Amino acid sequence: MAHLKNPVTQNDHSTGNPQSGRILVEYGDYQCSHCGIAFPLIRKLLRQYGDDLLFVFRNFPLQESHPAAVIAALAAEAAALQGKFWEMHDILYENQAELSADNILGFAATLHLDMSRFSQDWRSQQLLDRVERDLEGGLRSGVNGTPTFFLNGERYNDYDETYQSLAMLMEA
Amino acid sequence: MILPTNTPAPDFALYATPDKQVKLSDFRGKKVILAFYPADWSPVCSDQLAVYNESLKLFQAANAQLLGISVDSKWSHKAFSEDRHFQFPLLADFEPKGAVAKLYGIYDEKEGLAQRALFVLDEDGIVQWSYLSPIDVNPGADGILDALDTLNNVIS
């Protein structure tokens, strides 16, 4: 059974209730259509159970399959430096079919980010290193495609692209 | 029976491109990861190879070369590789069909396919780790990375 080799820390991007005993980690790729299917399901899960759940998103960009996956991941990380990780995360998934560099700059403007800072951070080696660390941690933890979920450190293998299969986590 | 650990990996020469064969023994001095898989284009294999494609930096850091192997022809491999931007060779175990998969004990006679099997060979071509995955399960890269770590720790 695959388990998470790198525990969730303060450096992770999380939403929900940090005090809850349930930590759900998703390894995802912004250009992966299966992650696009999971996106509204996760949102629904957080709406319904946000008090009983901490949700963490980590980057797993399959860049050879998805040419915009890395620039999208970097955009979310750059937005995070201005306190808007989840806003960028959401807008990227909502516009998954149109992830060009120009459009991403447009998303940053929509979110009222400091554009010169965003443009600089978006290209920074530091953020690229962070995205690669996420990817490496995922590879070492047995992430075998996206999305892959871990509940409290154990890989969750029963997700089948239905809301029910995610809601089952809340009974575990 | 899958080839056991601590045995020398049988040498082979297979087409890596339409006009070029590679020999396993060409890679002596490097670790080699052999990833046998059932078929080009099938969904599970494609996900598995896409994950390995993103793992190449980690494999290289461990002085390891990845070779994918299936019974598909060199022309199918060429199209598949180009479509998915694979940055590692796919070898065609095509004629006689599955001969190398048979040598490694992971040929599925009934289906006429290589099973989903992984081997990690050390610098001397000795099998140091192997794993036979259920046919419909993508085994990911963690087992390979753990095996490479173990080998590197033993040496250092």
Side-chain angles (χ1 to χ4, degrees):
Chain A
M1 184 89 174
H3 61 271
L4 205 56
K5 297 268 168 71
N6 43 348
V8 171
T9 70
Q10 294 288 340
N11 291 328
D12 277 299
H13 303 299
S14 62
T15 183
N17 182 2
Q19 311 304 329
S20 85
R22 274 193 192 88
I23 304 180
L24 179 65
V25 175
E26 175 185 356
Y27 277 90
D29 170 322
Y30 288 104
Q31 217 182 352
C32 154
S33 58
H34 297 282
C35 299
I37 293 169
F39 169 68
L41 306 181
I42 292 289
R43 205 143 66 164
K44 186 170 166 191
L45 192 75
L46 282 166
R47 256 201 317 270
Q48 222 157 349
Y49 298 103
D51 291 344
D52 297 322
L53 177 70
L54 186 72
F55 176 66
V56 170
F57 183 87
R58 288 179 174 171
N59 296 296
F60 199 81
L62 294 170
Q63 55 181 323
E64 296 293 346
S65 318
H66 302 137
V70 170
I71 60 165
L74 289 169
E77 295 298 334
L81 295 179
Q82 299 187 42
K84 293 204 169 165
F85 174 81
W86 292 105
E87 289 84 346
M88 183 60 90
H89 172 90
D90 290 1
I91 209 169
L92 288 166
Y93 274 125
E94 282 158 4
N95 297 277
Q96 191 181 42
E98 291 141 34
L99 296 179
S100 65
D102 279 354
N103 286 344
I104 288 173
L105 282 171
F107 304 154
T110 307
L111 296 175
H112 304 292
L113 297 180
D114 173 338
M115 290 306 286
S116 67
R117 190 175 156 203
F118 177 81
S119 304
Q120 211 165 23
D121 291 338
W122 194 20
R123 291 168 176 76
S124 82
Q125 184 62 41
Q126 210 185 339
L127 290 188
L128 188 62
D129 290 346
R130 179 189 169 123
V131 169
E132 288 190 343
R133 273 200 306 277
D134 272 4
L135 180 78
E136 176 171 349
L139 289 169
R140 291 188 177 280
S141 302
V143 172
N144 57 5
T146 53
T148 291
F149 295 103
F150 292 84
L151 180 68
N152 293 344
E154 294 299 322
R155 192 169 71 191
Y156 181 58
N157 297 322
D158 294 332
Y159 169 69
D160 61 4
E161 306 205 325
T162 64
Y163 180 69
Q164 287 71 18
S165 62
L166 279 181
M168 263 165 53
L169 285 171
M170 302 309 297
E171 282 145 35
Chain B
M1 246 284 275
I2 186 166
L3 199 65
T5 49
N6 294 318
T7 48
D11 200 12
F12 55 76
L14 292 174
Y15 279 100
T17 67
D19 51 12
K20 190 169 161 277
Q21 284 200 332
V22 302
K23 271 166 65 182
L24 179 62
S25 49
D26 293 343
F27 296 98
R28 223 30 75 75
K30 278 191 120 174
K31 299 182 194 74
V32 173
I33 303 152
L34 299 177
F36 288 91
Y37 62 97
D40 289 351
W41 307 106
S42 77
V44 172
C45 311
S46 314
D47 292 347
Q48 183 189 357
L49 297 180
V51 166
Y52 294 170
N53 211 23
E54 305 296 341
S55 310
L56 292 177
K57 219 188 244 185
L58 298 176
F59 295 162
Q60 277 153 13
N63 190 33
Q65 171 68 48
L66 170 65
L67 302 172
I69 307 179
S70 78
V71 299
D72 295 281
S73 80
K74 54 194 183 183
W75 295 103
S76 173
H77 278 343
K78 183 174 191 292
F80 185 47
S81 269
E82 283 173 4
D83 186 68
R84 305 294 158 91
H85 306 116
F86 292 143
Q87 308 295 326
F88 56 90
L90 297 182
L91 308 183
D93 192 11
F94 180 72
E95 180 56 42
K97 189 183 175 196
V100 174
K102 283 173 195 163
L103 280 177
Y104 283 76
I106 50 86
Y107 190 66
D108 180 339
E109 299 275 355
K110 189 159 158 275
E111 301 290 333
L113 299 168
Q115 298 185 69
R116 202 177 297 284
L118 301 169
F119 295 87
V120 172
L121 318 181
D122 66 16
E123 287 81 349
D124 299 318
I126 309 293
V127 177
Q128 293 294 350
W129 179 82
S130 65
Y131 179 74
L132 183 60
S133 180
I135 200 93
D136 55 348
V137 175
N138 170 353
D142 52 323
I144 297 171
L145 291 168
D146 286 348
L148 292 173
D149 280 353
T150 305
L151 281 179
N152 284 339
N153 288 335
V154 169
I155 290 159
S156 58

